[in-house]
């Protein structure tokens, strides 16, 4: 099936092709931006498939495609013999489509949301207010991002997400200077929130769950039973240590980690400190 485009309410554009679904918004020359987004999106899946065998290998050789190079650059700081560029494919796709829009016309602000991995564009006095909501939909707080902030990417990962996870975090949300960087960091932090060998955590080889997983036979989490509060604290502390290291290395600007009713935050406004459940970011204005 070819790439599909549908205009949604609220002056948004929905693009879909195979496993990729984007929601796009723009203020400025919207029609021109949307046409540029679709033109670039039509080539995304074919471009990624061309180098897919390399992208499923641990970070090493530099790929050739524009999106693949974004993935490689964002994954490289996390190279450990296991991590592949696929760790940030969603963020890199969002970033590339947004770049096509910005190159095509002048926009006050714009976003491309790829399943919760969001690339942002802001100029002048423009801002985005990002709402964090629990799985049941109630608000857990907001953070406002302005054009003067370095943040241009937001990503969420975790054991309850759409991808396989090595860790047990319900969710981890990361703010960083690009969507691909945020995506890679969120995945790694989701992995870091963990309790190795804990009897309440079930794991299975990734390729038993998905034949084509780039994780191969690496054990991934399949179930997390209710944990003692002290165990939750221990797991979150492991994630917080990893998040602080990433922040010290200037890989991320902020993060929020969530597990079974407890949370840890760093680099985020005080009004987000009360977050208690796994988040799902969305742009409210």
């Amino acid at each position: 099936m070819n790439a599909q485009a549908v205009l949604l309410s609220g002056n948004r554009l929905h693009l879909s092709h195979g496993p990729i679904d984007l929601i796009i918004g723009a203020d400025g020359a919207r029609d021109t931006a949307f046409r540029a987004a679709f033109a670039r999106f039509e080539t995304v899946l074919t471009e990624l498939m061309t180098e897919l065998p390399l992208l499923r290998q641990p970070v090493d050789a530099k790929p050739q495609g524009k999106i693949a190079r974004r993935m490689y650059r964002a994954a490289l700081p996390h190279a450990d013999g296991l991590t592949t560029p696929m760790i940030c494919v969603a963020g890199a796709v969002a970033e590339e489509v947004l770049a096509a829009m910005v190159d095509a016309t002048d926009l006050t602000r714009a976003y491309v949301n790829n399943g919760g991995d969001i690339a942002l564009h802001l100029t002048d006095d423009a801002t985005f207010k990002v709402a964090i909501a629990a799985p049941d939909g109630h608000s857990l707080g907001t953070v406002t991002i302005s054009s003067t902030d370095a943040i241009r990417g937001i990503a969420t990962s975790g054991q309850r997400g759409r991808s396989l996870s090595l860790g047990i975090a319900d969710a981890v949300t990361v703010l960083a200077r690009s969507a691909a960087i945020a995506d890679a960091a969120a995945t790694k932090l989701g992995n870091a929130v963990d309790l190795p060998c804990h009897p309440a955590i079930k794991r299975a080889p990734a390729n038993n769950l998905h034949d084509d997983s780039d994780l191969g036979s690496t054990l991934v989490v399949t179930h997390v039973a209710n944990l003692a509060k002290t165990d939750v604290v221990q797991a979150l502390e492991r994630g917080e240590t990893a998040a602080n290291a990433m922040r010290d290395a200037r890989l991320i600007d902020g993060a929020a980690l969530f597990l079974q009713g407890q949370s840890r935050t760093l680099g985020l406004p005080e009004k987000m400190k009360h977050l208690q459940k796994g988040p799902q970011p969305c742009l409210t204005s």
Side-chain angles (χ1 to χ4, degrees):
M1 182 179 293
N2 295 328
Q4 303 293 311
V6 178
L7 286 172
L8 303 176
S9 61
N11 294 316
R12 298 172 301 153
L13 177 67
H14 175 212
L15 300 181
S16 61
H17 192 191
I20 309 174
D21 276 281
L22 308 181
I23 302 296
I24 300 172
D27 293 342
R30 184 178 296 115
D31 290 346
T32 300
F34 283 179
R35 285 194 295 270
F38 183 64
R40 183 64 183 96
F41 183 69
E42 284 186 299
T43 66
V44 163
L45 198 55
T46 300
E47 181 179 317
L48 289 172
M49 292 299 293
T50 299
E51 296 188 271
L52 191 57
L54 176 61
L55 296 175
R56 284 179 169 164
Q57 297 298 315
V59 180
D60 186 12
K62 190 173 183 178
Q64 299 301 310
K66 288 184 68 177
I67 300 171
R69 290 199 302 270
R70 291 184 188 274
M71 295 163 62
Y72 172 84
R73 290 192 296 268
L76 189 59
H78 307 288
D80 56 6
L82 176 64
T83 298
T84 78
M86 293 299 291
I87 193 175
C88 53
V89 60
V93 168
E95 205 175 304
E96 179 66 20
V97 172
L98 181 64
M101 296 165 59
V102 173
D103 288 345
T105 190
D106 291 331
L107 297 171
T108 305
R109 64 176 192 168
Y111 69 87
V112 176
N113 185 342
N114 188 357
D117 298 326
I118 307 170
L120 305 174
H121 171 73
L122 290 159
T123 62
D124 301 327
D125 296 327
T127 63
F128 274 121
K129 182 179 289 185
V130 183
I132 308 296
D136 62 9
H138 80 265
S139 175
L140 297 171
T142 62
V143 59
T144 299
I145 300 171
S146 72
S147 63
T148 57
D149 293 321
I151 298 163
R152 291 296 181 269
I154 307 167
T156 296
S157 185
Q159 194 267 328
R160 293 187 179 182
R162 56 182 178 171
S163 300
L164 300 176
S165 178
L166 279 61
I168 63 172
D170 291 337
V172 172
T173 291
V174 168
L175 282 66
R177 66 180 181 271
S178 81
I181 291 172
D183 192 4
T187 302
K188 295 297 286 188
L189 291 179
N191 293 344
V193 178
D194 198 13
L195 295 169
C197 303
H198 195 288
I201 302 167
K202 305 301 181 185
R203 306 175 196 263
N207 54 14
N208 281 9
L209 303 174
H210 298 294
D211 291 341
D212 59 351
S213 174
D214 60 299
L215 294 172
S217 61
T218 302
L219 294 179
V220 298
V221 174
T222 58
H223 176 73
V224 183
N226 289 332
L227 299 169
K229 289 185 177 181
T230 54
D231 287 338
V232 174
V233 168
Q234 182 182 346
L236 286 172
E237 285 177 347
R238 292 171 65 98
E240 186 176 19
T241 297
N244 278 315
M246 286 188 191
R247 194 178 179 206
D248 290 344
R250 300 183 183 275
L251 293 175
I252 66 173
D253 289 85
L257 295 75
F258 304 83
L259 176 61
Q260 295 192 2
Q262 297 190 49
S263 65
R264 294 289 187 277
T265 62
L266 66 151
L268 298 176
E270 284 298 318
K271 60 187 173 182
M272 293 187 69
K273 296 296 187 182
H274 69 285
L275 300 180
Q276 293 297 317
K277 296 183 181 179
Q280 175 62 44
C282 65
L283 301 177
T284 60
S285 61

